[in-house]
Amino acid sequence: PIVCHNYASLIAQAKIGGHFGTRELLCLDEGHVAADWIRNYMKLELTVADLQSITTLSPPEDADDFMGWFRAVVSNLDGIPSGISDKLIAVFMRIFAHRSVYGIPEGLRTAYDEDMILGEYEKRPSYMEWATERLSKPDAATTPWKVVRLTTDKGGVKYECIPIRVAPIASVLTGLGRKVLVITATVLDPDLMLKELGMFNQKHAVVVIDSAFEAGNRPVIKRYVGSMSYAHARATLPKLLDEIINIAEEHRDEAGIIHTVSHLLSFDIVKGIRNYLGQRRNLVQMPQDGVGRDTVINRFLTGGYGPNSILIGPGLMEGIDGVGNSARWQIMAK
């Protein structure tokens, strides 16, 4: 009667696997990220090599023309081509299940060999029926897309197709509950979040609860040094490192956390501050492969790395309970 999922698993298993129908209550914890998970689920990533396995036509150079070209290619297919990779099978399963979202004509023939398509995936023939019922809304096909043409690590070309507006396709997640409870401590505007999730015009109530922490005990101190966007990060990094050293010195006897948005930035910070702080402070970097993550966090919070250690890495923004002296200060390195 009660099922606990992460977002990616819930959407995929409900919409393609066919494991779940609509429930009486859907609770979306950390609800401020729900729209991003919908966007990530619907996003397509296709390399030129992927495309060559389904068509002899060359994709357009202009990324703005890509979605129209890709729709035409898919619309002329009889089904999912045989002999393609598991990754492409998963992409096509998503496209066929949510064809209205991608603007693929409803009349497209979808007869196929299910065993070939599903491969190692569990056979759930009801997913197409379910998706058609929930997602064939007229406005779904009007979802605007942003397509980016990128060079891959191996020197090839790939296209990233990202839905800009989530509201027209949000039922892929919010449609799983007759009542939906969105819970978050990290939202600036509840109405804006509801609009993004396509729920604002439905019957709703917003409940705001004051923080349990006194405002004086959680000051946000702005010490900006420059832009950390992709175009400016390299130029800003030396100034960022200087400010991190200054702040760490101000808290030289206290443990703290440096939040980063990537492991690459974590490496840059550790490398940049090790000569200044590393001899008298333990710099603890989050494991890149995720193995032992909880062990590292728990050891840090219990003082296992020393009373003035510094934990550095991404993925520490939510759910880290720094009680008392276990984490007295934080830096948002972004």
Side-chain angles (χ1 to χ4, degrees), residues 52-276:
Q52 287 172 344
S53 69
I54 63 172
T55 180
T56 58
L57 301 174
S58 298
E61 289 288 325
D62 190 338
D64 290 341
D65 297 330
F66 180 81
M67 275 305 285
W69 175 87
F70 184 67
R71 286 191 190 104
V73 168
V74 175
S75 297
N76 286 319
L77 297 175
D78 288 332
I80 298 179
S82 60
I84 62 176
S85 66
D86 287 346
K87 171 205 159 188
L88 275 182
I89 288 173
V91 168
F92 273 94
M93 285 175 68
R94 192 160 70 249
I95 291 172
F96 277 98
H98 310 294
R99 67 182 71 183
S100 62
V101 171
Y102 298 103
I104 307 300
E106 287 292 331
L108 178 63
R109 187 166 71 84
T110 58
Y112 47 71
D113 177 354
E114 285 182 346
D115 292 331
M116 180 279 292
I117 290 178
L118 297 180
E120 296 179 0
Y121 299 98
E122 191 170 357
K123 184 178 177 181
R124 297 283 175 173
S126 62
Y127 79 84
M128 189 74 74
E129 214 173 73
W130 197 96
T132 302
E133 177 193 343
R134 295 303 263 161
L135 290 171
S136 58
K137 296 182 178 179
D139 61 347
T142 66
T143 304
W145 295 80
K146 172 66 177 176
V147 180
V148 184
R149 190 175 187 271
L150 300 169
T151 302
T152 66
D153 295 338
K154 297 180 179 179
V157 173
K158 72 175 180 179
Y159 295 85
E160 286 189 357
C161 312
I162 307 164
I164 302 302
R165 287 181 60 237
V166 170
I169 59 176
S171 62
V172 71
L173 176 63
T174 59
L176 290 173
R178 294 185 178 89
K179 296 185 178 75
V180 182
L181 179 62
V182 184
I183 312 163
T184 176
T186 318
V187 61
L188 299 179
D189 187 335
D191 288 345
L192 186 62
M193 182 175 67
L194 289 171
K195 287 176 181 175
E196 188 174 33
L197 288 173
M199 300 168 65
F200 187 74
N201 292 327
Q202 300 175 21
K203 185 178 180 181
H204 68 272
V206 175
V207 179
V208 179
I209 302 171
D210 289 338
S211 172
F213 300 99
E214 296 282 345
N217 293 343
R218 48 181 171 88
V220 176
I221 301 167
K222 300 175 184 177
R223 290 169 66 160
Y224 300 141
V225 295
S227 171
M228 283 296 289
S229 66
Y230 183 80
H232 302 97
R234 290 293 104 186
T236 301
L237 185 62
K239 293 180 282 187
L240 175 66
L241 295 174
D242 286 343
E243 193 68 349
I244 286 174
I245 291 168
N246 291 336
I247 294 170
E249 288 290 270
E250 291 166 14
H251 299 273
R252 64 179 60 191
D253 297 321
E254 298 173 328
I257 300 175
I258 299 176
H259 298 281
T260 66
V261 293
S262 68
H263 288 287
L264 179 60
L265 181 56
S266 299
F267 282 112
D268 286 340
I269 289 173
V270 171
K271 181 180 177 182
I273 68 177
R274 182 182 284 122
N275 290 339
Y276 297 92

